[in-house]
Amino acid sequence: MDLDYYKTLIAVADDCPVSSAVVPEGRGGRRTVAVVQYEMLAGSPYVHTQEDVLFESWLRRQDMPDISEDRRQALRDEFFSRSQACLRASPLPKKYGWGLAFDAEGRIALCAMESEEYGELRDDADTTVLKAMRSRRA
């Protein structure tokens, strides 16, 4: 089953607490999901798919250094054998003001909510715009 989005912008949530994009920070000496996802996407725009980000952000927080490719693939298969929340639930567009721009191949780049690119994608008729999930009920 393909979980990826194509030519889509996940726009910041309506109840996002910031007015411009903020780089997430760890808590208690640990990297949060937001930090891991930010590091993946900020360093490699349009490289990773949603499935890559979901799995890697889970794996990198599991303290499993130096696992083999076979073990990594087995863990990925097991991870996706269960339902997973999509990136509309990511803290990046919910709390930190980062839009998630998906290209035609389903690869993701971060897009600051105050940027010109974000506005262009949001207004582009060829781009599907989905809001990130709210943090609180309306």
Side-chain angles (χ1 to χ4, degrees):
M1 180 163 82
D2 186 4
L3 299 177
D4 295 320
Y5 290 109
Y6 303 92
K7 294 191 74 165
T8 300
L9 172 69
I10 296 179
V12 298
D14 290 334
D15 63 347
C16 182
V18 298
S19 58
S20 62
V22 175
V23 175
E25 295 180 5
R27 276 192 310 259
R30 291 185 48 96
R31 295 180 347 168
T32 62
V33 169
V35 169
V36 172
Q37 290 178 353
Y38 177 83
E39 289 172 353
M40 286 182 71
L41 297 173
S44 303
Y46 296 113
V47 171
H48 303 288
T49 65
Q50 175 171 243
E51 288 181 0
D52 296 336
V53 172
L54 292 173
F55 175 70
E56 286 295 323
S57 59
W58 171 81
L59 182 64
R60 291 179 187 187
R61 297 182 71 237
Q62 301 304 307
D63 266 348
M64 292 187 201
D66 304 325
I67 61 172
S68 70
E69 276 304 311
D70 289 342
R71 177 72 175 133
R72 175 183 286 272
Q73 187 59 49
L75 286 169
R76 186 177 173 115
D77 293 344
E78 182 181 333
F79 181 79
F80 286 112
S81 71
R82 299 179 302 277
S83 294
Q84 300 299 324
C86 70
L87 287 176
R88 289 184 57 220
S90 166
L92 294 176
K94 286 176 65 171
K95 298 179 184 177
Y96 294 97
W98 293 100
L100 301 174
F102 293 80
D103 67 9
E105 284 80 43
R107 299 170 306 191
I108 313 164
L110 288 176
C111 191
M113 67 187 291
E114 71 277 8
S115 71
E116 188 175 314
E117 179 187 12
Y118 182 90
E120 289 171 359
L121 286 168
R122 188 187 58 223
D123 298 338
D124 181 12
D126 292 332
T127 300
T128 302
V129 179
L130 302 172
K131 287 280 190 174
M133 294 180 182
R134 297 173 53 93
S135 295
R136 296 175 289 284
R137 288 186 182 183

